[in-house]
Amino acid sequence: MIKDKFTKAGFILAAAGSAVGLGNVWKFPYITGDNGGGVFVLVYLLTIVLVGISVFITESYMGYKTGQNSVSAFETLAVNNKKGWKIAGFTFVTALAILSFYVIVIGWILQYIVISLTSLPSSVAEAEQVFMTLLTKDLSSQVFYFLVSFAIIAYTVSRGVKEGIEKMNKVLMPTLILILLGMLFYSMSFDSFSKAFSFLFYPNFEKFHAESILVAVGHAFFTLSIGMAVILTYSSSMDSDTNIVKSSVIVAVLDTVIALMAGLVIFTILFNAGFESSQGAGLVFITLPALFYEFGAVGNILAVSFFIALAFAGITSAISILEPGVRYVEETTTISRVKATYIITAILIVAGLISLLSNIEGYSEALKFGSKSLFDWFDYISSAILLPVGGIITAIFVGFFADQNILKQTMCKFISEKVYGVWLFSIRFIVPFGVGLVMIEKLGLIKF
Ligand code: TRP
């Protein structure tokens, strides 16, 4: 058992810090736009409730019960075949792969804080040029901001759970929420707010296709940080009288509310300028900066606040993705936490630099595989395949292969037997079959 623990509120903040990330602000609005607005939001909310929260609770249970890193947690809880189940704990390796590209985006965001202060692009065409130059030509400043981001993240993790992770989240999360609230109130003064509202909450079936369901499922996993040992690891450092069900629900609600708030703000600004809803990934770095420019000096303030909020969201998530790998090394070898952090970070920096290069002119051809760049492949493979698979394995493991008496006893401290029955049914059947089916369909193996 480790002694370095979160306080009760600290755990909720840190887990919410993990969940609320670039995904909420950067990904959620544009996939919502691409997939028909309100219908997509509805399907997404259903997946959060039906599978997201159940898997979140499952991971929390594993960490809470063992107080160990993910690999040891699977080993400890497995009734049989302990050595085999240990392998499932290594999903944090994928989390680390996600981290290498996630930090690249955080680097862009830091750079955009500077751009917002000094020189917002005056048109979408100019904004596109600024971003494309940054992405495909400006290797040195991309590398610089990438390294700065990694330094902040690694330093925080190296300081430990309470002194590093909890403290950082206690500052960044409330600030992020205040900034978003401020922007939300400001956007309510626009006529386009009501259009944004109905876009998000009224279904439009035209753009919704079967594939949208997989996007929703993948995003539910991504946004709740489940399927990669992250929540498991954070939960292993929680105070022993934390209520794991209550805290899971609070985190899921916070995450969802913040995604919807970000969506409302972003769509209000877009619709105000007469833009269509779907904008692709360029939304945050191309369209929004150009639109902020239209507001004059207020625009600079809006833009800086927006990118600071985004950076904070990203940093608190990145910290949570680094922690599982560090905890594994710290607990299973003689290497100290600080050393473990820096060794892992060094490896990730090399990986990150390669995917950074994959966008740079002159290198991109060599680093393109099929239709996607290395960077896009990372994103796609991790969120559409690896996260759901990780979630399914965790659900099946706890649902069938961990000691069921202990499971019931522990969980019934937090929920009634009836609710327990529903949750168990969900992790035993709904998660594996539901999520599995959606994935198989999407990957083209069967057709409905
Ligand atoms: N939830 C974060 C977001 O929405 C990303 C994230 C943090 C994540 N930790 C994770 C994704 C672990 C997958 C696994 O951006």
Side-chain angles (χ1 to χ4, degrees), residues 18-24 95 98 102 219 221-228 230 255 317-318 320-321 387:
S18 172
V20 176
L22 302 183
N24 298 59
I98 293 185
Y102 205 81
H219 190 65
F221 278 79
F222 190 87
T223 189
L224 290 180
S225 306
I226 48 183
M228 295 254 143
V230 166
D255 181 67
S317 298
S320 76
I321 316 181
L387 290 173

Side-chain angles (χ1 to χ4, degrees), residues 69-250:
N69 68 82
S70 54
V71 175
S72 312
F74 271 95
E75 190 179 13
T76 305
L77 292 177
V79 178
N80 297 307
N81 191 14
K82 287 183 182 285
K83 291 273 164 294
W85 278 112
K86 245 172 102 165
I87 298 169
F90 281 101
T91 42
F92 69 77
V93 175
T94 322
L96 296 177
I98 293 185
L99 186 60
S100 65
F101 76 74
Y102 205 81
V103 180
I104 295 177
V105 182
I106 298 178
W108 297 341
I109 295 168
L110 293 188
Q111 208 160 344
Y112 266 78
I113 296 179
V114 179
I115 293 178
S116 312
L117 279 171
T118 52
S119 53
L120 281 175
S122 60
S123 66
V124 174
E126 192 190 328
E128 184 162 0
Q129 211 199 350
V130 171
F131 183 64
M132 290 322 279
T133 308
L134 168 86
L135 184 69
T136 61
K137 298 207 173 81
D138 196 351
L139 186 58
S140 56
S141 65
Q142 266 194 96
V143 170
F144 172 76
Y145 285 103
F146 170 73
L147 294 179
V148 170
S149 313
F150 244 131
I152 299 171
I153 294 155
Y155 177 72
T156 309
V157 171
S158 75
R159 300 268 304 161
V161 170
K162 196 163 204 160
E163 285 304 305
I165 301 176
E166 176 162 335
K167 267 198 178 152
M168 193 69 157
N169 275 286
K170 273 194 169 149
V171 177
L172 299 195
M173 285 307 286
T175 317
L176 156 75
I177 292 174
L178 281 180
I179 294 178
L180 265 182
L181 274 177
M183 294 188 79
L184 184 67
F185 283 121
Y186 182 69
S187 55
M188 282 176 181
S189 65
F190 289 87
D191 290 341
S192 53
F193 182 80
S194 60
K195 194 172 165 208
F197 191 88
S198 46
F199 176 74
L200 279 177
F201 297 105
Y202 292 97
N204 161 10
F205 287 91
E206 256 165 47
K207 273 196 185 164
F208 191 80
H209 18 85
E211 198 174 322
S212 308
I213 301 176
L214 189 86
V215 176
V217 172
H219 190 65
F221 278 79
F222 190 87
T223 189
L224 290 180
S225 306
I226 48 183
M228 295 254 143
V230 166
I231 295 305
L232 190 167
T233 306
Y234 265 10
S235 302
S236 72
S237 305
M238 70 187 164
D239 194 277
S240 52
D241 47 50
T242 309
N243 179 329
I244 60 173
V245 174
K246 224 189 203 170
S247 54
S248 302
V249 174
I250 295 176

